[in-house]
Amino acid sequence: MTTTKEKVQSLLSKLPDDCSVEDVQYHLYVLEKVRQGLVVTDNKDTIISQEEAEALLSKWLIE
């Protein structure tokens, strides 16, 4: 199992040398939100169809 420290080190190695602290914070935030989403989906039956997903996402699009 990968530790949090290893995940952060991996993230840092992928970011450019001139990235800002805000860049690092943003990427850590996104990784954590994805992890939380995966935990939720592992614990529930949250499977939706492609059509349902597209309908939900279309509400967010700005035209």
Side-chain angles (χ1 to χ4, degrees):
M1 178 178 255
T2 306
T3 67
T4 300
K5 183 177 179 178
E6 291 170 332
K7 290 176 186 175
V8 171
Q9 288 173 331
S10 175
L11 168 67
L12 290 174
S13 70
K14 294 175 186 172
L15 291 174
D17 290 339
D18 63 345
C19 69
S20 67
V21 172
E22 289 82 12
D23 293 333
V24 175
Q25 289 175 319
Y26 170 76
H27 284 83
L28 288 171
Y29 172 81
V30 170
L31 286 175
E32 178 59 14
K33 291 301 177 182
V34 169
R35 186 198 65 77
Q36 289 174 359
L38 291 172
V39 167
V40 167
T41 58
D42 284 345
N43 294 331
K44 296 181 180 179
D45 283 334
T46 55
I47 298 174
I48 63 172
S49 69
Q50 180 72 28
E51 292 77 21
E52 290 172 304
E54 289 175 2
L56 289 170
L57 291 174
S58 69
K59 295 177 183 178
W60 298 348
L61 294 177
I62 299 172
E63 295 183 19

